[in-house]
Amino acid sequence: MLSSSTTRIAARMGVKMLARVGQNRQTDLPLLQLSYYSNSNAGTSVQTTAQSHIPATTVRGAQEKWMKRFESESIPEPETSIVNIIAHVLELSGPGELGNHQNSSLNDAQISKIEELCQCRLARMPIQYIIREWDFRDLTLKMIPPVFIPRPETEELVELILQQMDTQREALFLEIGCGTGAISLSLLKHAPKSSAIAIDQSRFACELTRENAEKVGLMERLRIFKHKVVDDLPVVLSEEKFDMIVSNPPYVPSMLIPTLEPEVKIYEDLRALDGGNDGLTVIKAILRIAGRHLAKDGVLWLEVDSTHPPAIQEFLSKHGDLMGLRFLASYKDLFQKDRFVEIVKL
């Protein structure tokens, strides 16, 4: 069962909404809340009234029943949650198909499965983990806990890179913190002459990236290493030079980790979120690696907190010459937050 992000992605593909910026902005932490970005194609809304007596043995009835339950227990995005769950149980091509099945009857096995998955959602398990897959741009990727779930902002990062990348040129790029493999696989799909190396400190993430790469037929152009980024890359890559490095690193300040939504702090690997005291610990390690391993004129792309671009620019103004790096630009996401940073190797 596919999650429905087609409309959102198509809209994003048609409109370039990222602009270069240089000013500081107010603090925000998008990872404090895991949003599913429902849209008009996510399913059919169910009107619930006191006079409604639709049996829960139909799709409409089950949707209405669980919508009420989720709302009563303050589950975020209740409609998106139940629509995705029912569409998954019915093995539909996507939640947008559910509108065509509102009057369909559910058998005992389907009712039981919906109940089981809804209990997981009541326990605040992210819907991506419940249905075990999610769309990232034009790929459907497997999702398993505790591997970090890619956010919509990261789809924007990939699009921004592809807008500026010569996708027909042979290139080698590195992804630091690959998680599900979403960034590497999306770039490889649209840059057919490129190859990539992906690293992550989590064994589960490395295994999931491999599984997703095999699923979408891109494993031949991808190498995966389990490695924790501290000062440098694995020894086997010590002499490697890259045309591009990309990362959505941990950037939430440690003191804010306890304030994360239950979907995040209970189920996701917090190592993929915790960026140290100021949120910049891993980012600075990546900058050191980029200084050593980017080829001349190579580019480092980072997804960061909206308060970080000025801090990164200031850091490179002091240390960039020694590292051979220059801050090139920052870019806004669709919510007009400074989210992406571009740095070039001198």
Side-chain angles (χ1 to χ4, degrees):
M1 196 283 295
L2 305 181
S3 61
S4 179
S5 61
T6 305
T7 299
R8 173 168 49 81
I9 298 302
R12 184 177 298 149
M13 291 293 189
V15 183
K16 183 176 179 181
M17 300 185 70
L18 297 163
R20 289 196 179 198
V21 294
Q23 71 268 27
N24 193 359
R25 293 181 61 82
Q26 199 171 17
T27 300
D28 83 306
L29 287 168
L31 300 179
L32 298 183
Q33 199 163 17
L34 182 58
S35 177
Y36 309 125
Y37 288 75
S38 60
N39 56 52
S40 58
N41 291 331
T44 299
S45 298
V46 175
Q47 300 297 321
T48 59
T49 67
Q51 291 75 36
S52 177
H53 299 290
I54 302 170
T57 54
T58 66
V59 168
R60 184 184 298 275
Q63 187 174 339
E64 178 181 295
K65 169 188 172 182
W66 287 105
M67 273 273 292
K68 287 181 177 178
R69 180 72 183 278
F70 289 162
E71 288 171 348
S72 71
E73 301 204 20
S74 301
I75 300 300
E77 300 191 340
E79 182 177 7
T80 300
S81 298
I82 186 56
V83 164
N84 274 279
I85 286 172
I86 296 177
H88 174 71
V89 171
L90 296 183
E91 299 182 348
L92 303 180
S93 62
E97 293 292 314
L98 200 61
N100 300 324
H101 298 268
Q102 288 293 296
N103 297 318
S104 299
S105 296
L106 298 168
N107 60 38
D108 289 345
Q110 290 170 331
I111 293 171
S112 177
K113 189 64 176 178
I114 290 170
E115 168 91 20
E116 175 190 338
L117 299 184
C118 285
Q119 289 298 330
C120 292
R121 188 70 192 102
L122 288 170
R124 302 298 291 265
M125 179 180 283
I127 192 68
Q128 293 91 336
Y129 290 158
I130 294 172
I131 67 174
R132 295 289 170 134
E133 62 180 29
W134 202 251
D135 285 349
F136 185 87
R137 302 185 82 249
D138 52 356
L139 296 173
T140 299
L141 302 176
K142 182 177 180 179
M143 303 280 155
I144 59 169
V147 180
F148 185 72
I149 298 167
R151 273 46 170 188
E153 289 88 348
T154 307
E155 298 181 41
E156 297 176 48
L157 172 63
V158 170
E159 185 179 346
L160 177 60
I161 293 171
L162 289 172
Q163 287 173 356
Q164 302 198 29
M165 182 181 182
D166 183 353
T167 56
Q168 298 306 311
R169 184 175 72 88
E170 288 188 10
L172 173 64
F173 68 86
L174 168 70
E175 182 185 3
I176 298 176
C178 55
T180 62
I183 293 176
S184 287
L185 297 177
S186 193
L187 291 173
L188 287 173
K189 179 176 180 179
H190 292 277
K193 295 182 180 180
S194 292
S195 57
I197 292 173
I199 65 174
D200 201 293
Q201 64 180 322
S202 166
R203 173 175 60 85
F204 298 109
C206 292
E207 291 173 354
L208 185 57
T209 291
R210 182 177 302 278
E211 187 173 347
N212 279 326
E214 290 171 348
K215 177 183 176 183
V216 299
L218 293 169
M219 194 61 226
E220 288 186 359
R221 292 190 282 134
L222 178 65
R223 288 188 287 161
I224 303 166
F225 294 88
K226 179 184 179 298
H227 179 74
K228 181 177 181 178
V229 171
V230 179
D231 290 311
D232 212 339
L233 299 179
V235 175
V236 69
L237 301 176
S238 60
E239 302 300 320
E240 200 73 67
K241 295 289 184 180
F242 299 94
D243 300 292
M244 178 176 69
I245 298 175
V246 58
S247 183
N248 176 18
Y251 59 72
V252 177
S254 300
M255 65 180 295
L256 293 180
I257 293 295
T259 71
L260 299 176
E261 290 293 312
E263 283 85 350
V264 178
K265 67 182 178 183
I266 294 174
Y267 293 98
E268 292 193 272
D269 187 345
L270 296 182
R271 295 177 301 174
L273 292 156
D274 192 339
N277 290 337
D278 58 1
L280 291 167
T281 300
V282 180
I283 290 172
K284 289 178 180 178
I286 293 172
L287 290 173
R288 291 191 293 269
I289 288 171
R292 298 187 191 106
H293 293 279
L294 272 178
K296 187 178 185 304
D297 298 323
V299 178
L300 169 64
W301 288 98
L302 296 171
E303 179 177 334
V304 299
D305 180 73
S306 65
T307 63
H308 284 160
I312 295 171
Q313 187 171 14
E314 181 181 359
F315 179 82
L316 289 178
S317 70
K318 296 177 180 177
H319 308 287
D321 288 343
L322 185 61
M323 304 169 79
L325 298 174
R326 179 165 61 88
F327 186 96
L328 197 59
S330 65
Y331 300 84
K332 293 180 183 293
D333 62 18
L334 287 177
F335 304 102
Q336 297 304 300
K337 302 291 187 180
D338 296 347
R339 183 69 58 212
F340 314 112
V341 169
E342 182 182 11
I343 295 164
V344 66
K345 173 67 174 177
L346 302 175

